[in-house]
Amino acid sequence: MISKRVYEMVPSVTLSQSEKIAQLKKQGINVIGFNIGEPDFNTPDNIIKKAEEAYRLGYTKYTPASGSIELREEICRKFKEDYNLDYTIKDVIVSAGAKQSLTNALMAIIDPGDEVIVPIPCWISYIEMIKLTGGIPVLIEMDENTGYDLDVDKIKDKITNKTKAILINSPNNPTGAVYKRDRLEKLGNLAVVNNFYIISDEIYEKLVYDGESNCCTASISRSIKEKTITVNGVSKSYAMTGWRIGYAVGPTHVIKAMSDYQGHTTTSPNSPAQYASIEALSNSEKFVEEMRREFDKRRKFIVERLNRIEGINCVMPKGAFYVMIKINEFYGKSYNGFSINNPMNMCDYLLSESKIAVVTGDAFFAKDSIRISYSNSMENIREGMDRMEEGLKKLK
């Protein structure tokens, strides 16, 4: 007797795949993981020490449902310093991860039957979150030939009187695309004219390369700011995925609705993690830059290495730590009982034959593709790419 809303959900492919990998590792098999979307760096010591300090000082009680005043003040400071945006603590909510902030935002603004536009490829959880609200996801495919940049003309054609929001993610998971300011401005003006919200997931904002920078959609104009809910967190930029601290800023009435909803679900997020997150946002930029440079080295290496493999061609991503590659050149080929006819076949084959874990593009609405995360050591990336090339050569 499972509810229809949960029964119709599509389970997370990345999480279910992690279970397969865990079982292989338990058997003593050396699997190199290119599937997990989290930094392989440990949380910086200065942040860890702040968490320890929080425990000693007794910061272990509930905070306000929308997060501690001190952390919300720090988030306001961050947006002023980074994007010259003025917010007050009433415009900020802190949640148990950016995923909860996204869910809160959708629950606060979407009614059954409302349409939410989502550019694809995208993170699969967006779609399930929208469906849980009773909203209708409207998927619009972006073009690989433009580096998966935002195609605003395609989006414009899909706007109806039921359009309540668009959910965008830049820098993007899974493509690594970084949306250009002029396209975001065009999208923002559409939101103003057509009276819908932009939910802008900017969780990878610090991980950009080749001279690119994250354009915070809300910073483009005052009118666009009034239509934008910006979601972020400490998970990716500060290697704090397990600390579960995300946040959102936006119009005061929307943030209040999100806080009211959160108050009846999880209440406040983890208190010591909130305390430590102040340190992350205020005093960890040196670590962020060191990590970004290391990811940049890996990015350049893995794209060059992949493009040397016969049958593989991939574009250079501009942000995050993912590479999308087409694998349709291998369709119809087989080896050792495996036949390659779709991305999931390829994932299963590479896990079995090459002992590397990648993710099917079907998990992101990316046809004929697999996603590789280069959030791994350079040593493992080199070994993994050698294994991958050797495995692919066996397919006939």
Side-chain angles (χ1 to χ4, degrees), residues 98-356:
K99 184 180 283 189
Q100 187 185 15
S101 289
L102 287 163
T103 302
N104 289 343
L106 290 164
M107 292 299 292
I109 65 173
I110 303 301
D111 286 316
D114 287 344
E115 295 177 350
V116 182
I117 294 173
V118 186
I120 58 172
C122 74
W123 185 40
I124 191 170
S125 291
Y126 294 154
I127 309 307
E128 300 310 312
M129 291 173 185
I130 294 166
K131 285 161 58 179
L132 285 170
T133 69
I136 301 169
V138 178
L139 310 185
I140 304 178
E141 188 173 0
M142 301 296 106
D143 188 356
E144 181 189 18
N145 294 321
T146 66
Y148 298 101
D149 202 359
L150 206 60
D151 190 329
V152 185
D153 291 331
K154 272 189 178 182
I155 292 167
K156 183 178 180 180
D157 290 341
K158 293 293 185 179
I159 296 171
T160 72
N161 59 3
K162 293 183 178 180
T163 302
K164 192 66 169 290
I166 180 169
L167 205 172
I168 61 173
N169 173 214
S170 176
N172 184 267
N173 172 18
T175 67
V178 177
Y179 295 161
K180 293 181 175 59
R181 181 185 175 90
D182 60 335
R183 302 198 181 199
L184 288 170
E185 182 174 9
K186 192 174 178 182
L187 176 66
N189 289 331
L190 280 179
V192 172
V193 170
N194 293 279
N195 193 30
F196 62 82
Y197 289 105
I198 299 172
I199 303 174
S200 183
D201 181 353
E202 301 178 18
I203 191 70
Y204 296 95
E205 66 166 344
K206 301 290 186 181
L207 301 178
V208 289
Y209 318 106
D210 296 338
E212 297 283 345
S213 60
N214 176 59
C215 175
C216 180
T217 306
S219 70
I220 295 172
S221 72
R222 179 175 296 179
S223 58
I224 293 173
K225 177 189 175 189
E226 291 172 356
K227 287 295 179 185
T228 303
I229 306 160
T230 304
V231 176
N232 208 320
V234 297
S235 294
K236 312 297 183 178
S237 296
Y238 303 97
M240 295 175 68
T241 52
W243 297 65
R244 309 314 301 135
I245 296 294
Y247 55 84
V249 299
T252 308
H253 67 286
V254 174
I255 298 299
K256 182 183 183 303
M258 291 169 63
S259 298
D260 290 345
Y261 175 74
Q262 181 165 293
H264 286 297
T265 52
T266 59
T267 313
S268 59
N270 180 295
S271 300
Q274 288 189 69
Y275 187 86
S277 293
I278 297 172
E279 177 73 7
L281 294 174
S282 65
N283 194 32
S284 302
E285 290 309 306
K286 181 180 178 182
F287 165 80
V288 173
E289 179 58 17
E290 289 173 353
M291 184 173 67
R292 189 197 68 81
R293 288 182 180 179
E294 180 58 30
F295 278 137
D296 191 17
K297 292 177 187 176
R298 299 174 187 180
R299 175 185 70 109
K300 291 172 179 173
F301 175 84
I302 200 168
V303 170
E304 189 275 332
R305 183 68 182 83
L306 282 165
N307 283 327
R308 286 188 357 229
I309 299 175
E310 186 176 353
I312 296 292
N313 183 36
C314 67
V315 298
M316 181 71 78
K318 297 293 186 179
F321 38 68
Y322 307 107
V323 179
M324 291 288 292
I325 62 174
K326 296 284 188 180
I327 49 90
N328 49 302
E329 289 290 321
F330 298 93
Y331 287 176
K333 296 184 178 183
S334 60
Y335 177 76
N336 198 24
F338 284 91
S339 295
I340 310 301
N341 298 301
N342 56 57
M344 196 67 234
N345 291 161
M346 179 63 82
C347 293
D348 290 340
Y349 172 72
L350 290 174
L351 185 58
S352 176
E353 185 64 31
S354 302
K355 303 301 183 290
I356 65 171

Side-chain angles (χ1 to χ4, degrees), residues 64-82:
S66 55
S68 74
I69 291 174
E70 293 79 10
L71 178 53
R72 283 184 286 154
E73 286 176 339
E74 180 58 30
I75 291 166
C76 292
R77 182 208 62 78
K78 173 222 176 317
F79 275 90
K80 180 64 175 178
E81 184 173 306
D82 289 355

